[in-house]
Amino acid sequence: MKKRRVVILGSTGSIGTSALKVARDIPDRMEVVALAAHSSADKLAEQAREFGVKHVCLFEESKAAELKKQLPTDVNVYTGLDGLCALATLAEADMVLVSIIGTAGLKPTLEAIEAGKDLAIASKEILVMAGEVVMNRAAAKGINVLPVDSEHNAIYQCLQGNHGGAEQVSRLILTASGGPFRTLPKEELANVTLAQALKHPTWKMGQKITIDSATLFNKGLEMIEARWLFNIPMERVDVIVHPQSIVHSLVEYRDGSILAQLSSSDMCFPIQYAVTWPDRVVNSLPHLNLAEMAQLKFEAPRWDDFPALNLARQAGLTGGTMPAMFNAANEVAVQAFVDGKLSFPGIWETVEKVLSASRPRDYKGSLALILEDDAWAREEAHRLIAR
Ligand code: MG
């Protein structure tokens, strides 16, 4: 039984703190060797002390001195993007858990691949923007890419034992909780407030992803993510609403059999699986009581009322830099909604306008082109919102 030595990029966020819970729970299978955070110096110092970590990175350089003061002198303190890359390629690490919000995770991820580290990816942006590059380079290097997102982790589990390749899979079926407005009439979506959008029925997550769950953009991003992770054509990536968040996703095979993965809605499950794969390890997480649950509910998504799903499918089908622009426009629109500059439906209206004005390109493995079009989409979204 191998203990995995893990670098956590984004340790103070919601995935990062869950990952540390897993590390506490299965210490003989997971060792934390490095931690990186954006700007929470105090929290990062506390985590580094608890786990005796010798390498830490604070992305925000101006707070590094504050961090250093709280750590033993033998701890190496890094900053910025270079710091993230240094951690991602540490000699003493086997696996890098990437749970940084936004595009900052892209470069460290590619460097980790080059350094031969296995990846546990929680950052959607990486696979949405550059899924093709990441998966191709990972395959060339022979490293494993374990998805941490609960849906993709579930699909990964349901694909274990499929020795017939992708052609045996007829559909990947992502489950969606439907968010807090699952049953809200379409005409009332215009009046949705920030506070309402931040109340997720089943999962506790960060602000951006919670709003994305309410608009279903989160599911849209996950559709694109799934397309690349599992190398399945976009047409075969489907969504079903499952309000209880117990079934984390399903795989339908061509003989009509469907496999599903179930557990309670705690991110520790997918994180642990990513770290211990292919092994199953005893933990202290709560087991499901199916008899108590009695029934599981499924319903069709409201494709027309929540356009994010169709926009995502379109972006995925178009490919090239389109998914990156889809993601970028959404990020800007969500921030504008948080700042009170945009209505709730304004989020998808903005993204739709940006995408129809866009000129997606085949990026041919070039990150520079992806980032260029990403920047264009952000600018265009800002321009539309300011109008
Ligand atoms: Mg998810």
Side-chain angles (χ1 to χ4, degrees):
M1 292 290 149
K2 213 176 124 211
K3 181 191 267 192
R4 280 220 169 86
R5 298 167 300 170
V6 182
V7 173
I8 303 177
L9 304 183
S11 66
T12 57
S14 119
I15 296 288
T17 47
S18 292
L20 293 177
K21 255 200 230 168
V22 173
R24 278 183 210 108
D25 200 20
I26 52 163
D28 49 339
R29 295 302 304 260
M30 176 175 179
E31 181 186 347
V32 182
V33 293
L35 295 166
H38 184 265
S39 48
S40 309
D42 296 348
K43 200 167 171 191
L44 180 59
E46 192 188 312
Q47 293 176 340
R49 286 194 307 264
E50 179 188 345
F51 288 91
V53 162
K54 297 291 175 225
H55 304 274
V56 296
C57 172
L58 197 64
F59 191 77
E60 194 70 59
E61 208 177 333
S62 60
K63 289 189 173 173
E66 206 180 300
L67 173 66
K68 249 181 201 158
K69 269 190 285 183
Q70 303 180 52
L71 292 170
T73 48
D74 64 338
V75 175
N76 300 297
V77 177
Y78 308 77
T79 58
L81 192 55
D82 289 344
L84 293 178
C85 292
L87 261 55
T89 55
L90 268 188
E92 55 263 54
D94 309 309
M95 173 177 256
V96 180
L97 167 61
V98 189
S99 55
I100 304 173
I101 302 171
T103 53
L106 201 47
K107 194 164 181 251
T109 298
L110 293 172
E111 295 209 0
I113 294 172
E114 282 319 301
K117 312 296 182 193
D118 281 339
L119 289 171
I121 298 191
S123 304
K124 293 201 165 65
E125 293 85 353
I126 292 169
L127 290 166
V128 169
M129 297 174 71
E132 195 175 7
V133 183
V134 169
M135 296 311 290
N136 285 344
R137 291 196 192 172
K141 270 279 177 182
I143 65 135
N144 300 302
V145 179
L146 278 302
V148 168
D149 211 346
S150 60
E151 293 80 357
H152 305 83
N153 193 271
I155 289 172
Y156 199 93
Q157 296 191 41
C158 295
L159 288 170
Q160 299 296 302
N162 171 34
H163 302 298
E167 70 266 30
Q168 298 208 123
V169 174
S170 58
R171 272 189 308 157
L172 303 181
I173 309 170
L174 299 166
T175 49
S177 71
F181 312 125
R182 179 172 62 89
T183 59
L184 194 72
K186 183 187 166 114
E187 52 282 6
E188 286 174 40
L189 288 173
N191 307 318
V192 159
T193 64
L194 177 61
Q196 289 169 327
L198 287 176
K199 268 195 204 123
H200 195 275
T202 46
W203 290 99
K204 272 175 82 183
M205 305 173 290
Q207 175 172 273
K208 162 75 169 45
I209 185 169
T210 303
I211 293 172
D212 283 346
S213 298
T215 56
L216 298 199
F217 266 93
N218 183 54
K219 210 50 56 182
L221 292 165
E222 289 178 356
M223 290 167 75
I224 301 171
E225 216 183 333
R227 188 255 171 276
W228 290 119
L229 265 171
F230 305 109
N231 195 21
I232 287 278
M234 202 64 205
E235 299 87 333
R236 288 198 259 152
V237 179
D238 209 350
V239 176
I240 187 97
V241 172
H242 168 52
Q244 293 143 306
S245 303
I246 295 294
V247 176
H248 297 301
S249 278
L250 316 91
V251 172
E252 183 187 64
Y253 288 93
R254 62 184 175 191
D255 61 356
S257 279
I258 293 180
L259 300 191
Q261 186 265 334
L262 289 72
S263 68
S264 55
S265 41
D266 185 326
M267 285 308 292
C268 290
F269 282 98
I271 293 167
Q272 175 180 317
Y273 184 76
V275 171
T276 64
W277 175 87
D279 295 336
R280 300 277 180 181
V281 175
V282 173
N283 57 30
S284 62
L285 295 171
H287 289 200
L288 280 181
N289 183 333
L290 292 174
E292 219 165 71
M293 210 173 314
Q295 51 178 308
L296 295 170
K297 281 178 67 180
F298 297 97
E299 60 196 45
R302 293 161 61 191
W303 292 89
D304 295 335
D305 298 344
F306 292 90
L309 298 178
N310 276 323
L311 288 171
R313 182 163 275 170
Q314 238 178 340
L317 282 170
T318 306
T321 55
M322 194 65 138
M325 293 192 276
F326 170 83
N327 172 65
N330 177 54
E331 272 187 30
V332 172
V334 167
Q335 190 56 50
F337 171 68
V338 170
D339 297 341
K341 291 179 195 156
L342 208 55
S343 72
F344 187 67
I347 299 175
W348 55 74
E349 285 160 14
T350 302
V351 174
E352 190 160 18
K353 283 181 199 156
V354 170
L355 293 189
S356 51
S358 72
R359 295 182 34 205
R361 297 184 281 180
D362 178 0
Y363 60 84
K364 297 189 182 75
S366 155
L367 287 188
L369 279 189
I370 298 176
L371 294 173
E372 253 177 43
D373 284 3
D374 171 288
W376 175 85
R378 281 170 206 276
E379 238 171 77
E380 181 68 8
H382 279 299
R383 201 180 61 78
L384 288 166
I385 292 162
R387 255 205 330 223

